[in-house]
Amino acid sequence: MENINTHTPQVAVSQHISSYKLLFTVFAGLILLTILTVLVSTTFTFSVSLAVALALMIASTKALLVAYYFMHLKYEPRFYKWMVIVVLALFTFFVIMLTIDYFTR
Amino acid sequence: MTTTIAQPSYLEGKKGLFSWIFTLDHKRIALLYLYAIIAFFLVGMTLGLLMRLELLNPGKDLVEPTTYNQIFTLHGVIMIFLFIIPSIPAVFGNFFLPLMLGTDDVAFPKLNLLSWWLYVLGAVFALATLVFGDGPADTGWTFYAPYSVKTGTNVTMAVMAAFILGFSSILTGLNFIVTIHRLRTPGMGFNQMPLFAWGLYATSWIQLLATPVIGITLLMIVAERVFGIGLFDPSIGGDPVLYQHMFWIYSHPAVYIMALPAMGIVSEIIPTFAQRTIFGYKAIAYSSMAIAFIGYFVWGHHMFTSGMSGPAAIIFSVLTFLVAIPTAIKVFNWVATLYKGSIDVKPPLLYALAFIFNFLIGGLTGLVNGALAADIHVHDTYFVVGHFHYVMFGGTGFAFFGALHYWFPKIYGKLYNIRMANISFAIFFIGFQLLYFPMLVVGLMGMPRRYYDYLPQFHVPNVVSTVGSWILATGILMMIANLMVAYWKGKKARKNPWHGITLEWQTSSPPPLHNFDKMPEVNEKGPYHYKNAMDQ
Ligand code: HEM
Ligand SMILES: [Cu+2]
């Protein structure tokens, strides 16, 4: 939206108000995933790599939940979602290149 | 149109030190940056001259070997983090982005002031290494592990300086992105924005997305030094190549933080002094975005000789060559803009042309470094030192001083002596070539970088280079003196001395506090449509 020589946006920014119920459900989910992380690290002791990989996947899921519900990404315009996607894509590329380097050395 | 009563300029109004260091006006903040940045440039230049003096003759003349190492580290840190990275965005971006967009300030003026204060704090940390601990770091500005973890010099403090300066840079980037999205004057879409704004836009995204990576990397160095966590030092389980990956994931994109705003400056100066529509507006605008984007994928070209795997090196080499495409697009468009223009050779244009010349040499020598096989030969030689001075100093440095000459009348409302500006430019330019071209030659001959001494067969090019450094310094001091004289005694400048048509020329020189006394008129056919400008 355009905005003339002023710092107050012309359009009222629509605010989304999430219900307590939803927020607590997500919170409970996060707690469950934390417990799951602990379980994974104690049961998959035969393969450290597997345990780390699983722990990282769980952690990413948690981060997404936080961004989506607690940080309101779910209710933001598409542009913001694209920003997150681009950053994630860049990050993925970094990890892929580091992995290629390590495994072909 | 009624003419309103002229408001006092931003330079008049409130007086006193506090009205400056706590100002929220983007123009005053820009000047705070300008003075700080020029001061640090002169400090860095003095260190550079000192190194060149040591290298005049082989053998030890002036300084101890360790001192030499500390000098080039401090020179690098100052020139990179205190001069070239903030230079154009923090000074000219701050001053002219709001003016060019036809608005009254950046989106977050307080954040803007905070980022200047962070800059000052970072500078204090960098200089404090001189007096605290065992002196300034001697690692090189790259702080490579594991040496940076082991050396007794004050690496922790130097690294914290870079960390804090990173935050300053992130905040500036954030501010510009929001300003460009939200505060463009009515009628100005993205494609009616001046190309300098496009350059800043692409730069800001890099500042926002890449700088945090260096932040965390530098903190990891501190963690390893202070708590002995084995991240990078192989003797305690770390991997030194990981450090290099993380460092260059930021520091390669950072070279575009330096280059893109400079390209934006050139894209402003050339149409004004050719009085001609820019050739390929969209190609220049979008190639900035392309450069910013591709810049994220090429960091590994700094690591060809450091033990990275062969397949990874090949991938990075191929990706590196891709950056040349959008860069060449820009050079082509600038030259095409000049073609059949009514060219008026004034100091700003000279600086812009010098940018193209130097950047071409810097870019082409960059391709030599980017080619996997050739790099094995030239890596860590003076060829690299020559290359990056051509890009950063010959490119961005010249663009910075070009911008200063272009906008000086607008900033201060004064005209400088054109003849003196031309003469000092010529001395600066000749000194520059004498200083750095021999470095390319002596590098190919095999002289390594970062040593206080060299073999006798490298003597002649080193003498030329040192003499060049004196000529360059003379030119720069003359240029600054000329501008200072203009500030005190210069003739009053009119609104639009160069007949530019971007919006900053529609307000008085110097501009009033709120930038425009009446709404600026946006040129519907784009920011460089010169036809209707001729009749003013
Ligand atoms: C003003 C005149 C300048 C002189 C005389 C000068 C001279 C030098 C010399 C001789 C070296 C090589 C030291 C060595 O490898 O032994 C060097 C390194 C360096 N210079 Fe400059 N320079 C100047 C300006 C600049 C500018 C404007 C920039 C940045 C925009 C810059 C950035 C650097 C960096 C990053 C290094 C590498 C430091 C390191 O190896 O860690 N210099 N300079
Ligand atoms: Cu690079």
Side-chain angles (χ1 to χ4, degrees), chain B residues 389-401:
Chain B
H389 280 97
Y390 263 100
V391 181
M392 296 195 293
F393 192 5
T396 308
F398 272 77
F400 177 80
F401 293 120

Side-chain angles (χ1 to χ4, degrees), chain B residues 100-423:
Chain B
M100 290 177 130
L101 298 183
T103 183
D104 64 344
D105 208 320
V106 290
F108 307 118
K110 286 183 184 151
L111 218 54
N112 204 13
L113 181 63
L114 176 65
S115 87
W116 183 73
W117 275 104
L118 286 174
Y119 174 88
V120 172
L121 187 68
V124 169
F125 267 70
L127 294 182
T129 59
L130 285 166
V131 281
F132 290 108
D134 289 322
D138 63 346
T139 55
W141 79 279
T142 46
F143 304 115
Y144 269 14
Y147 183 66
S148 58
V149 178
K150 291 179 168 156
T151 171
T153 54
N154 206 343
V155 169
T156 307
M157 204 169 237
V159 155
M160 285 314 293
F163 181 82
I164 296 167
L165 291 167
F167 267 91
S168 167
S169 177
I170 293 173
L171 294 183
T172 305
L174 179 71
N175 225 332
F176 288 177
I177 291 176
V178 180
T179 306
I180 289 171
H181 274 274
R182 308 282 304 187
L183 298 183
R184 277 171 288 118
T185 198
M188 185 186 282
F190 262 78
N191 284 334
Q192 282 85 43
M193 271 196 324
L195 288 164
F196 181 51
W198 270 105
L200 287 174
Y201 185 64
T203 308
S204 299
W205 278 110
I206 308 179
Q207 288 175 296
L208 199 64
L209 296 186
T211 318
V213 183
I214 190 99
I216 198 77
T217 311
L218 296 175
L219 284 189
M220 284 161 86
I221 290 272
V222 175
E224 187 152 342
R225 274 180 80 85
V226 179
F227 305 115
I229 301 170
L231 297 165
F232 304 131
D233 181 355
S235 64
I236 46 176
D239 178 4
V241 180
L242 176 65
Y243 175 80
Q244 297 189 18
H245 273 298
M246 295 191 66
F247 180 83
W248 289 110
I249 284 174
Y250 164 74
S251 295
H252 184 82
V255 311
Y256 299 112
I257 297 179
M258 311 169 197
L260 287 169
M263 293 167 161
I265 297 285
V266 175
S267 310
E268 294 301 326
I269 292 178
I270 285 188
T272 300
F273 290 92
Q275 288 291 303
R276 189 177 175 299
T277 316
I278 190 102
F279 189 88
Y281 171 88
K282 283 192 179 161
I284 297 184
Y286 300 165
S287 63
S288 291
M289 300 305 284
I291 291 176
F293 187 70
I294 301 173
Y296 282 105
F297 305 109
V298 302
W299 75 88
H301 60 215
H302 296 271
M303 304 166 54
F304 289 159
T305 62
S306 58
M308 186 174 58
S309 83
I314 291 170
I315 296 173
F316 280 123
S317 183
V318 172
L319 289 172
T320 296
F321 286 106
L322 290 182
V323 189
I325 299 170
T327 312
I329 289 179
K330 281 185 195 286
V331 174
F332 173 78
N333 283 301
W334 292 326
V335 177
T337 304
L338 287 171
Y339 181 67
K340 288 194 174 167
S342 43
I343 296 174
D344 183 13
V345 186
K346 287 273 162 53
L349 184 67
L350 290 174
Y351 280 96
L353 296 178
F355 171 96
I356 299 180
F357 180 85
N358 291 332
F359 203 82
L360 213 62
I361 297 183
L364 293 175
T365 50
L367 292 182
V368 178
N369 294 322
L372 198 41
D375 185 60
I376 306 295
H377 180 65
V378 296
H379 182 84
D380 249 338
T381 68
Y382 260 85
F383 187 79
V384 174
V385 181
H387 153 72
F388 67 67
H389 280 97
Y390 263 100
V391 181
M392 296 195 293
F393 192 5
T396 308
F398 272 77
F400 177 80
F401 293 120
L404 193 55
H405 282 84
Y406 182 48
W407 281 316
F408 189 91
K410 179 57 64 185
I411 296 177
Y412 294 108
K414 296 284 176 65
L415 288 176
Y416 50 84
N417 183 324
I418 302 262
R419 215 178 115 77
M420 271 305 288
N422 286 339
I423 295 173

Side-chain angles (χ1 to χ4, degrees), chain A residues 3-5 9 14-17 20 31-32 34 44-46 49 52 55 58 71 75-76 84-85 98 100-103:
Chain A
N3 183 345
I4 317 147
N5 287 349
S14 68
Q15 287 213 328
H16 181 90
I17 303 191
Y20 279 114
I31 299 285
L32 275 179
T34 310
F44 288 83
T45 42
F46 51 91
S49 332
V52 171
I58 299 173
M71 297 171 84
Y75 317 106
E76 294 289 0
V84 178
I85 290 172
L98 293 189
I100 291 180
D101 175 21
Y102 279 86
F103 285 104

